[in-house]
């Protein structure tokens, strides 16, 4: 279960409906990815009626308020509609809300497959094919990504429902591990000229080329007996000769041009969702529809790329850097025992944005529970194994962090003012070429409160004073 401020979640849901591109940034482990997945699944599932998830909002509209009501009524975020924006509320997963029997007997998993795509971004993504997939000339088949299928399904449902169409999401995890404007260039451009509903008719927006052929291609799930047979029933779907509307909708992606108008289609949604053909066919071009939203999670460090104005101009950006362990972690096993140390480390590291997220807290507490021990017994190892490895940088970043952290590791004192005073003495002693045992002796201690952590921090601080740089490794 994830907890976040009500005002943050309300703003996030509003942003997802207002703009088709959302960036969630902040420290690692703050819950960005899980929050994106839960909101996306809750909105995409929509109204639960007659044992099925329709994807439609409870009010039949696609407004931000309608989506908030849907999330609240479905139980994903029961307290979302409150007025206290600073109150922490629970964001639940489908497993928290619905029983296994309901999820198994309903179409929830199928709906998620068709309406929510999750793609971990890799550093080698340099072209749009990483989003759309690729054609293999050796097999004669097209291999789409889940994002392609979700975008295609969003298009079909938009033709059916118009502006009330169910929301679809493409979640790009660690979005800026590669240059966003390279691999996402097609979608960024399509966002500016999407397919829209005008006076009850569909107006085609700009389209991006998915593959170089002038007709749709089979995917890897195509029946081999049908491949390449121009007179087969399946081949007729390519040119819209079937007496059904969705093949015609695909035909528009083959033959239509931007600005072309045509009536909305009474598509049999069950046929689209459960049919044997729709996901086997990939048209040569794709368009962006108003019911499709891109969510990207972002970490900013030396391993990632910055964003160009083209990207930022098309997105809402929400930062998750403020951690409130008391409100989020209070009922986690072992938290009360570790709380003073966790809070002290947060106060030491937060000024330089080196603090840790809820995931780290969870893993530390899980370790202590598995060890059937206490923070006093296991805290030293946990700090050395989970907190210190992420500390790296120059004197401008670590110069005010390492001495105070070392003071905490030696004394175990949770008073920040006293730690800063002790840190000043430590730096003077280290500059005077004192070793850690002599420093401990001068402080009147036989051993540090956290010996392993203190020893490592001492060596890192010496490295920083000698070279101007320090790192765990």
């Amino acid at each position: 279960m994830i907890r976040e401020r009500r005002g943050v979640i309300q703003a996030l849901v509003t942003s997802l409906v207002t703009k088709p591109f959302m960036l969630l940034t902040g420290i690692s482990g703050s819950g960005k990815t899980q929050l994106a997945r839960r909101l996306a699944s809750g909105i995409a599932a929509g109204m639960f009626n007659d044992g099925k998830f329709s994807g439609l909002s409870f009010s039949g509209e696609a407004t931000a308020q309608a989506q908030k009501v849907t999330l609240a009524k479905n139980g994903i975020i029961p307290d979302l509609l409150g007025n206290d924006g600073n109150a922490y509320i629970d964001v639940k997963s489908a497993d928290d809300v619905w029983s296994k029997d309901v999820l198994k007997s309903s179409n929830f998993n199928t709906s998620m497959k068709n309406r929510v795509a999750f793609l971990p971004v890799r550093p080698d993504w340099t072209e749009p094919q990483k989003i759309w997939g690729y054609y293999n000339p050796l097999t004669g088949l097209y291999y789409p990504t889940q994002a392609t299928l979700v975008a295609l399904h969003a298009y079909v449902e938009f033709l059916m429902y118009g502006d009330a169409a169910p929301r679809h999401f493409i979640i790009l995890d660690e979005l800026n591990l590669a240059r966003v404007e390279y691999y996402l260039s097609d979608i960024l451009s399509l966002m500016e000229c999407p397919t829209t509903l005008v006076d009850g008719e569909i107006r085609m927006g700009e389209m991006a080329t998915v593959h170089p052929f002038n007709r749709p291609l089979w995917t890897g799930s195509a029946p081999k007996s049908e491949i390449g047979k121009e007179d087969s029933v399946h081949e007729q779907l390519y040119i819209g000769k079937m007496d059904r509307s969705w093949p015609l909708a695909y035909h528009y992606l083959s033959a239509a041009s931007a600005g072309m108008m045509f009536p909305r289609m009474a598509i049999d949604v069950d046929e689209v969702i459960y049919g044997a053909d729709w996901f086997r066919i990939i048209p040569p071009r794709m368009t962006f529809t108003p019911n499709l939203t891109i969510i990207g999670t972002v970490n900013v460090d030396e391993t990632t790329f910055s964003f160009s104005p083209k990207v930022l101009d098309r997105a809402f950006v929400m930062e998750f850097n403020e951690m409130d362990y008391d409100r989020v972690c209070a009922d986690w096993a072992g938290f009360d025992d570790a709380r003073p140390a966790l809070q002290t480390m947060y106060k030491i590291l937060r000024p330089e944005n080196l603090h840790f997220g809820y995931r780290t807290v969870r893993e530390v507490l899980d370790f202590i529970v598995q060890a059937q021990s206490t923070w006093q017994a296991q805290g030293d190892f946990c700090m050395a194994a989970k907190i210190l490895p992420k500390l790296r940088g120059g004197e401008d970043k670590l110069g005010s962090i390492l001495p105070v952290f070392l003071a905490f590791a030696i004394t175990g004192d949770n008073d920040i003012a006293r730690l800063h005073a002790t840190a000043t003495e430590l730096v003077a002693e280290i500059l005077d070429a004192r070793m850690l045992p002599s420093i401990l002796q001068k402080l009147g201690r036989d051993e540090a409160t956290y010996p392993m952590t203190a020893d490592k921090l001492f060596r890192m601080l010496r490295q920083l004073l000698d070279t101007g740089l320090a790192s765990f490794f």
Side-chain angles (χ1 to χ4, degrees), residues 38 97 134 158 231 317 352 374 401 417 458:
R38 293 182 183 198
V97 178
Y134 65 96
F158 182 70
D231 59 345
V317 180
E352 295 298 334
T374 64
I401 295 294
F458 176 80

Side-chain angles (χ1 to χ4, degrees), residues 4 13 15-16 30 45 49 80 95 104 131 191 221 270 275 290 302 322 334 423 434 455:
E4 187 51 81
V13 174
S15 300
L16 291 175
S30 58
N49 193 22
L80 182 59
D95 294 334
K104 186 177 181 179
I131 294 291
M191 283 180 186
S221 62
D270 281 343
E302 65 273 13
E322 296 301 324
R434 300 290 185 91
D455 179 69

Side-chain angles (χ1 to χ4, degrees), residues 218-237:
W218 286 111
T219 69
S221 62
K224 293 183 179 180
S225 61
E226 300 290 351
I227 296 176
K229 294 184 179 180
E230 298 294 336
D231 59 345
S232 72
V233 172
H234 295 281
E235 285 292 328
Q236 297 305 308
L237 297 178

